[in-house]
Amino acid sequence: IEPQAYARNRELIEMDTRSKRPLIHEIYRIYRQRCFVSGAMDFDDLLLNTNILFRDHPDVLQHYRDLFAYILVDEYQDTNFAQHLIVSQLGKGHNHICVVGDDAQSIYSFRGANIHNILGLSKEYPGLKIFKLERNYRSTQNIVNTANSLIAKNKEQIPKQVFSEKEQGNKVQVISAYSDFEEGFIVSNRIAEMRLTTHCDYNDFAVLYRTNAQSRVLEEALRKRNIPYRIYGGMSFYQRKEIKDAIAYFRLTINPDDEEALKRVINYPARGIGNTTLSKLIERAHSQESSIWNVISDPIGYNLAVNNGTLNKLKTFKDLIDELRYEADKKNTPELAETIIKRSGIWGEISSDRTPENISRQENIEELLNGVREFCALREEAGEEQTSLSDFLAEISLATDQDNGDETEQDKVTLMTVHASKGLEFKQVFIVGVEEDLFPSAMSKNSEREIEEERRLLYVAITRAEENCTLTYALSRYRNGQTVSSPPSRFIKDLDSRYVDMPVQTKQESPRETISWNRFPFDAERPRKTSRWNEEDTDRTPAPRPFTAPSPGKRLTKIDSKPTGETHSTTQSTVATAAGQVEIGTFICHARFGNGTVTAIEDTGDNCKITVEFENVGRKQLLLKFAKFTIIE
């Protein structure tokens, strides 16, 4: 081993030791040796050993140079350095090389792709001729022009001017939501509305997001509208392994006799309880007409035929579940969910390294905890005194049942990450979560090169659309039990306003005096103050409709936590608060649900509730003392 390679190996071994996986290098050595004995190579080996072969055996290299007199490479922007070197070695001498690629769609650096392979070709081959295929046959002119205005901000690129000879088309829409919750409803409502007006099938719609974890809120909003969907290149949120593992622990904490949940996690994370032991547990439980949990709790009484070492492992598992059940009586639901994730070992298991796969799993678990917190907060705001973990499990059981629904249904909205969408096309495209720290990713903010790749990623997303493209962002997202401000992505400012219907910028009062972009489109009329639906029809969700944002001079008044006025009537038209009057017809801005109009006020004091018709999420009844909104005067 060369000194430089040896030093690098030592560095990797030390890193593995710090990550508590000290045997990885030995496992890899054995793997390499087994591959060699078997005469097998993996993909990395094929590339590396081909380069070594050409380096050490010039006669072999010359043979293949003569054999491949002309070389054509597709998708060259996605090649890594080893592939580039092979092409360069083969092409030397005759230089009969033709590569096809689009530097603006180089989005796979995390897989080793190197954009400089295509950008530096003209320097490597001084006689290189570039033929720019600039006509876009897919998208309307407005979509193509919008994408051009975005990618023009990148410094590292081959200049080109893509054009379309299709119709001008609708402008790209940029829509702001008050929260990720409202964003999901805006998208689902728009899909329902556009399907009716454009006569498109659900198959013609795609919703693209930067990270897999974003799908949860979108899935729930689509379910509310009974819109069928599929997750392309992945699983529905509640079908992902780490989510199913966490939910299994949730179920065991509530009910340790839950056999399916127990079988799923009795050896996850690995604790040495194998299939043989599990089979014995199942046999003893079934023969005694009991539960597996009872056998684990009293293995001797049930004559379980295992050795002392296995008995100790079973006791460790039982003690863990007993500890979680004890915590269930002491902690509120969000705290309990977080405790289960940590003490079960799930979080430690998926945090062992920073691979893209494990980062995605961590994001999914964090989103599950957000879902628990959001569920409890919504229940609290609706007047529920206490929300248990079993209530949350009952709520998501419907979602998991729908995930296992009729797979023969082919007409579905497609949900996927932007990376997975490359090469695909849809008539109607929604790109959600176009916010700082999400798109571009927070992990890319320290590098201009990575920011440019994020910009290319959005370019790819926009150019998936044939007829209509909509970008959405939320001014806040629910994270770690609180609503966190999320500024619009810097990329939105890169878009040329000639081709985009952009939200109007208005300055609103806030503690930091920040610029908020209110949701497009606007209307000169104030929203109606009466409900669009009958009083009984509380579950129907109205389609999105224009609204008037508060003008720069209007004041946003924060509601005090408790009403100070007392009235004796059950139904009333106004209620006094420490900050002012809330009455039927009051226009409010809710932290999660967005804009709405108060349509009813009931009860008094701490039990005072208001009914609000929200523009995108429908009707909600809120307990006033917990309601998080502002009055727009």
Side-chain angles (χ1 to χ4, degrees):
I1 300 178
E2 296 176 1
Q4 188 175 0
Y6 181 77
R8 177 59 177 160
N9 283 346
R10 285 200 59 180
E11 180 183 333
L12 292 172
I13 291 172
E14 291 172 1
M15 186 186 304
D16 288 335
T17 302
R18 290 194 300 270
S19 300
K20 299 182 180 179
R21 50 183 189 187
L23 296 180
I24 286 292
H25 73 284
E26 182 63 19
I27 294 170
Y28 184 67
R29 185 192 65 78
I30 295 171
Y31 164 74
R32 291 292 304 275
Q33 189 267 336
R34 291 287 296 275
C35 285
F36 182 78
V37 170
S38 302
M41 296 187 196
D42 60 23
F43 185 68
D44 294 345
D45 289 336
L46 290 172
L47 299 179
L48 175 63
N49 289 327
T50 298
N51 275 300
I52 293 174
L53 180 67
F54 288 169
R55 181 195 66 188
D56 296 345
H57 299 275
D59 55 326
V60 175
L61 173 59
Q62 189 59 47
H63 168 76
Y64 283 103
R65 280 178 179 169
D66 296 338
L67 183 63
F68 300 118
Y70 298 92
I71 300 169
L72 170 63
V73 187
D74 195 14
E75 300 287 2
Y76 204 73
Q77 78 279 351
D78 293 334
T79 56
N80 58 37
F81 179 72
Q83 292 167 321
H84 175 73
L85 199 57
I86 290 170
V87 173
S88 298
Q89 290 292 322
L90 289 174
K92 279 184 179 176
H94 56 67
N95 283 350
H96 295 158
I97 297 175
C98 176
V99 306
V100 181
D102 183 0
D103 58 290
Q105 298 191 54
S106 179
I107 60 174
Y108 293 121
S109 66
F110 66 95
R111 295 180 183 171
N114 187 348
I115 190 174
H116 291 283
N117 291 347
I118 192 169
L119 295 181
L121 273 178
S122 58
K123 292 181 179 179
E124 188 166 350
Y125 301 96
L128 181 77
K129 292 183 179 179
I130 299 177
F131 300 88
K132 298 181 181 180
L133 308 179
E134 296 175 304
R135 182 175 176 182
N136 180 303
Y137 292 85
R138 172 190 299 147
S139 308
T140 62
Q141 294 181 37
N142 272 322
I143 292 173
V144 170
N145 290 337
T146 300
N148 285 344
S149 67
L150 172 72
I151 203 64
K153 303 301 187 296
N154 272 8
K155 296 177 181 177
E156 291 189 318
Q157 63 172 306
I158 299 173
K160 50 191 169 296
Q161 188 61 39
V162 181
F163 66 94
S164 171
E165 292 187 355
K166 295 184 72 174
E167 67 276 10
Q168 192 74 22
N170 295 325
K171 288 187 176 183
V172 172
Q173 283 203 350
V174 178
I175 299 177
S176 166
Y178 286 100
S179 67
D180 50 345
F181 186 91
E182 191 195 27
E183 180 185 49
F185 275 89
I186 287 174
V187 170
S188 62
N189 291 342
R190 291 283 172 122
I191 290 173
E193 183 181 16
M194 292 175 69
R195 185 167 178 265
L196 293 175
T197 57
T198 64
H199 306 291
C200 287
D201 295 329
Y202 284 128
N203 281 333
D204 295 322
F205 290 87
V207 183
L208 311 182
Y209 37 79
R210 180 63 181 83
T211 65
N212 276 305
Q214 290 171 257
S215 78
R216 181 188 69 84
V217 174
L218 295 164
E219 289 181 61
E220 291 177 1
L222 291 171
R223 288 192 186 102
K224 296 284 186 182
R225 290 300 303 252
N226 292 318
I227 296 175
Y229 65 88
R230 68 169 63 85
I231 306 288
Y232 180 89
M235 294 182 177
S236 176
F237 183 81
Y238 290 108
Q239 293 300 318
R240 294 166 192 165
K241 179 185 181 301
E242 59 275 11
I243 301 301
K244 295 177 80 171
D245 292 335
I247 289 173
Y249 272 109
F250 289 176
R251 288 163 56 184
L252 274 183
T253 301
I254 302 303
N255 174 22
D257 291 324
D258 189 325
E259 184 170 305
E260 291 305 312
L262 188 146
K263 288 192 292 186
R264 182 175 184 88
V265 297
I266 190 171
N267 198 41
Y268 179 80
R271 50 178 60 90
I273 303 175
N275 290 333
T276 300
T277 301
L278 182 58
S279 297
K280 291 179 180 179
L281 287 168
I282 295 172
E283 186 278 326
R284 284 285 80 200
H286 291 177
S287 66
Q288 298 295 318
E289 297 184 354
S290 185
S291 69
I292 298 176
W293 177 253
N294 286 338
V295 178
I296 292 174
S297 300
D298 186 16
I300 296 175
Y302 281 89
N303 296 318
L304 183 65
V306 295
N307 58 36
N308 288 335
T310 301
L311 286 176
N312 288 333
K313 294 170 185 174
L314 292 174
K315 183 178 183 303
T316 300
F317 177 69
K318 176 185 179 299
D319 291 343
L320 169 64
I321 302 303
D322 283 341
E323 179 186 355
L324 296 178
R325 288 172 59 76
Y326 174 74
E327 294 290 343
D329 294 329
K330 299 190 331 181
K331 295 186 174 180
N332 62 40
T333 301
E335 290 174 342
L336 174 62
E338 189 172 344
T339 297
I340 293 172
I341 295 298
K342 290 180 178 177
R343 295 194 185 176
S344 64
I346 290 177
W347 187 254
E349 184 80 2
I350 64 176
S351 300
S352 59
D353 58 55
R354 296 290 291 173
T355 61
E357 294 78 14
N358 266 357
I359 290 173
S360 179
R361 294 185 185 106
Q362 293 165 31
E363 290 171 346
N364 287 335
I365 289 294
E366 288 171 350
E367 185 59 28
L368 176 65
L369 293 174
N370 284 339
V372 175
R373 298 180 189 112
E374 187 177 73
F375 174 79
C376 295
L378 292 175
R379 286 292 188 93
E380 181 185 67
E381 203 165 1
E384 300 283 344
E385 290 189 3
Q386 192 171 6
T387 304
S388 67
L389 190 58
S390 60
D391 293 329
F392 175 75
L393 292 174
E395 176 79 6
I396 66 171
S397 66
L398 176 62
T400 52
D401 287 345
Q402 288 176 323
D403 289 340
N404 297 322
D406 183 9
E407 289 301 318
T408 62
E409 173 62 56
Q410 296 299 313
D411 189 20
K412 297 180 179 180
V413 174
T414 301
L415 274 62
M416 69 176 88
T417 64
V418 180
H419 279 102
S421 73
K422 187 169 180 288
L424 303 177
E425 56 188 39
F426 301 89
K427 288 183 179 179
Q428 320 292 346
V429 170
F430 291 83
I431 307 166
V432 301
V434 189
E435 303 149 23
E436 286 295 303
D437 293 339
L438 191 54
F439 207 162
S441 166
M443 292 185 290
S444 69
K445 293 181 68 173
N446 294 325
S447 165
E448 185 61 31
R449 178 176 294 182
E450 291 178 0
I451 287 292
E452 292 206 350
E453 177 159 337
E454 292 285 305
R455 189 179 280 112
R456 294 194 295 269
L457 190 59
L458 183 56
Y459 174 87
V460 167
I462 293 172
T463 53
R464 298 311 93 198
E466 298 176 21
E467 296 179 2
N468 289 291
C469 181
T470 303
L471 280 63
T472 69
Y473 62 86
L475 294 173
S476 65
R477 287 196 175 265
Y478 199 72
R479 294 174 181 167
N480 301 320
Q482 58 184 347
T483 301
V484 180
S485 174
S486 50
S489 170
R490 68 189 70 186
F491 298 151
I492 291 178
K493 298 176 184 177
D494 293 340
L495 306 179
D496 192 322
S497 60
R498 290 177 294 172
Y499 315 115
V500 179
D501 276 330
M502 195 76 73
V504 176
Q505 296 187 24
T506 59
K507 190 171 183 180
Q508 298 181 351
E509 290 183 21
S510 67
R512 293 181 297 173
E513 289 291 301
T514 57
I515 297 295
S516 296
W517 293 359
N518 292 291
R519 180 157 47 85
F520 175 87
F522 293 102
D523 192 303
E525 295 180 1
R526 187 177 177 84
R528 284 182 285 177
K529 297 185 179 181
T530 55
S531 171
R532 298 180 63 209
W533 312 109
N534 294 328
E535 287 297 316
E536 307 79 38
D537 199 2
T538 58
D539 291 328
R540 294 185 65 181
T541 306
R545 61 183 189 273
F547 75 101
T548 302
S551 59
K554 299 215 175 177
R555 184 164 58 93
L556 299 181
T557 306
K558 182 69 178 177
I559 289 294
D560 191 71
S561 61
K562 291 186 180 182
T564 57
E566 289 285 345
T567 23
H568 297 289
S569 58
T570 304
T571 303
Q572 49 191 320
S573 60
T574 176
V575 60
T577 72
Q581 293 287 114
V582 176
E583 59 186 30
I584 294 176
T586 297
F587 191 41
I588 71 169
C589 171
H590 191 276
R592 191 173 296 115
F593 303 140
N595 280 357
T597 304
V598 177
T599 59
I601 301 173
E602 300 175 13
D603 293 327
T604 61
D606 284 351
N607 295 321
C608 184
K609 296 180 181 180
I610 59 173
T611 302
V612 184
E613 190 72 45
F614 289 101
E615 293 175 351
N616 292 299
V617 303
R619 180 174 301 168
K620 300 288 182 183
Q621 191 174 60
L622 309 176
L623 191 64
L624 191 56
K625 70 176 181 178
F626 291 127
K628 300 172 183 176
F629 65 86
T630 54
I631 298 175
I632 300 179
E633 294 182 346

